[in-house]
Amino acid sequence: MRRADQGFVVWLTGFSGAGKTTLAQLLARSLRSRGHLVEVLDGDVVRAHLSKGLGFSKEDRDTNIRRIGFVCQLLSRNGVVAVAAAIPVSERA
C-alpha cells in the first residue's frame, strides 16, 4: 500500500440519521483501495471518547466540532485522509 504524499479532509454534515457515517465508511473503503491512509472521525464516536463529558449546549457542541477539526488537521498534515461525519452545530436545538 502506498502512502499519499498529502492528506486532506472531507467533512460530511447532515441531520441525525441522514447517512453520514455510512457514506464516510464507503468513502474510506474506496480511498483505502486506492492506497490512501484514511481515518473516519464519526461525531458520535468522538463525543464518546475525545469529548466525553460534554453536553449539548451550544458551547459544548462548538467545542466538540473544534476538537474534530483539530484532529482532522493533525491527520491531514501527516498524510492521512480524514473523513469527518458530524452534525453541524447549527442543526442541533
Side-chain angles (χ1 to χ4, degrees):
M1 184 179 292
R2 72 174 172 81
R3 181 178 170 164
D5 292 333
Q6 184 174 356
F8 57 91
V9 177
V10 177
W11 198 292
L12 304 172
T13 65
F15 290 110
S16 181
K20 296 177 298 300
T21 299
T22 301
L23 288 173
Q25 291 169 347
L26 290 170
L27 177 59
R29 184 180 317 147
S30 178
L31 290 167
R32 285 183 187 117
S33 74
R34 290 167 173 76
H36 293 278
L37 299 172
V38 182
E39 285 295 333
V40 174
L41 289 99
D42 179 82
D44 293 333
V45 175
V46 170
R47 181 172 281 283
H49 298 284
L50 185 61
S51 295
K52 191 173 184 175
L54 290 180
F56 290 94
S57 69
K58 179 162 179 8
E59 182 179 330
D60 284 354
R61 291 179 281 134
D62 286 346
T63 298
N64 189 49
I65 293 298
R66 274 193 304 274
R67 288 178 183 178
I68 293 170
F70 178 76
V71 173
C72 286
Q73 179 186 27
L74 291 175
L75 290 168
S76 67
R77 78 176 187 203
N78 285 286
V80 178
V81 177
V83 182
I87 297 172
V89 173
S90 63
E91 292 188 13
R92 292 235 189 208

